[in-house]
Amino acid sequence: MIARPDGGPRVVVGVDDSAGARCALSWAVGEARLRRLPLLVAHAAPLPPHVSAAGQLGCGITEALRGSGAELIARLLQEVCGGPPDGVDMSALALVGEPGATLVRLAGDDDILVVGRGTRGPFSRLLRPSVRLHCARRARATLVCVRPPAFDALLESLTVRDESPEQIPGSRFRRLGRRLRLPL
């Protein structure tokens, strides 16, 4: 557990690169400012299965995961608040481990644990267990699940990362364009 300045409660928020995490970070910053509590922003990256199975922890992989987690936290703070939030005593942690278990260990009894809530399919849940459900079952802290606005969730589900929508026949963009009668 991370030491607290005066042993009192704090707001602990778990982040990743999703719309739900951005909304959770925004809510946690506002709550910490409103209640005058310290804010802990945490990102936990799970070890890739091939690394943990081969026992290659000394290969610099954990340092690389921590470094990318610190960059992610800095980028999210810049996107959401324009940098470290004013008027909030904030600390950030980039850790390696299962996200749900790590957040449960970080949050104490009197803390407020904030996680994002997204929409995932059954196959995605099979590959990566839900952090929100893990925290709901095991956390002793007060748990707040922040869902992104419906429009942000729609945009995230429609995003195609590597190819433009015009090149993909029958893509979600095309189907949405046909419903709205837009020339896509």
Side-chain angles (χ1 to χ4, degrees), residues 55-159:
Q56 300 173 341
L57 293 180
C59 300
I61 293 175
T62 56
E63 290 82 15
L65 288 173
R66 283 189 190 116
S68 65
E71 290 172 7
L72 175 72
I73 291 171
R75 185 173 43 114
L76 288 176
L77 284 170
Q78 187 64 36
E79 288 176 10
V80 172
C81 318
D86 297 329
V88 176
D89 181 23
M90 189 201 82
S91 56
L93 282 176
L95 303 167
V96 176
E98 289 302 315
T102 303
L103 289 174
V104 167
R105 277 194 312 267
L106 282 175
D109 292 341
D110 54 350
D111 291 339
I112 300 172
L113 177 59
V114 184
V115 294
R117 179 174 182 205
T119 56
R120 296 178 14 190
F123 187 66
S124 174
R125 273 193 221 109
L126 183 65
L127 293 177
R128 287 184 317 147
S130 172
V131 174
R132 174 184 59 88
L133 290 177
H134 183 90
C135 292
R137 291 180 184 133
R138 293 178 177 87
R140 296 180 318 253
T142 302
L143 179 67
V144 178
C145 300
V146 181
R147 178 175 231 146
F151 187 72
D152 288 346
L154 175 68
L155 285 180
E156 185 174 280
S157 70
L158 292 176
T159 301

Side-chain angles (χ1 to χ4, degrees), residues 14-27:
V15 296
D16 61 2
D17 197 14
S18 67
R22 285 174 177 80
C23 293
L25 178 61
S26 176
W27 190 91

